[in-house]
Structures are given as structure tokens and as C-alpha cells.
Amino acid sequence: MTEDAGGVPAVGATVHDTARDRVGRVMGHVGPYVQLRPLAGGIEWDADPNHLRPLTLAEVLSALVAEANARSRQHR
């Protein structure tokens, strides 16, 4: 995960918000918070950068597959 000089994840990074137990993509920064959006899109949420950890490539792929599976079950 690319971080800025302050250790905040860069826009586009995929992270796990440990406070909410959710995976999201960094969309921006406002004040002390990082804005995250679910990988499949949706409503952004604010996260404390101290509760974010980078995902490994395997974790990113697993999260994307889980999102795709959830979408496929909704259209039945």
C-alpha cells in the first residue's frame, strides 16, 4: 500500500477498516479521516487511519470474489 508522508493510505489503495471489519478502497482524505468505498461501489464511509491496514494481493482477490458472488446471488 502506498502511503503519504504522514502514513495515510494513498487514494486507490485497498484497505481493511478494522474498526468496522469492512474492506474498502481509499477515495479521498478529509481532515483526519480517510473516505472508503466498498469494492463493488456504494456509499462511502469515514475511517480513522489508525484503524486501517493494507490488504495483501490474496486478500484483495478474495474480497473481489466475495463481492461478485454476493451480486450473483441477488439476481436470482
Side-chain angles (χ1 to χ4, degrees):
M1 172 176 70
T2 305
E3 297 179 346
D4 68 10
V8 177
V11 171
T14 306
V15 298
H16 180 245
D17 179 354
T18 59
R20 294 186 185 211
D21 194 26
R22 294 180 70 185
V23 172
R25 182 161 288 122
V26 176
M27 303 307 293
H29 309 93
V30 174
Y33 298 102
V34 175
Q35 282 71 50
L36 301 177
R37 178 173 287 157
L39 298 181
I43 298 172
E44 292 181 6
W45 75 94
D46 291 336
D48 181 337
N50 295 316
H51 293 159
L52 301 179
R53 72 165 183 83
L55 294 183
T56 64
L57 180 57
E59 289 173 317
V60 172
L61 292 174
S62 178
L64 290 169
V65 168
E67 293 272 354
N69 286 339
R71 279 194 312 272
S72 72
R73 286 190 295 272
Q74 290 174 353
H75 297 293
R76 289 186 179 187

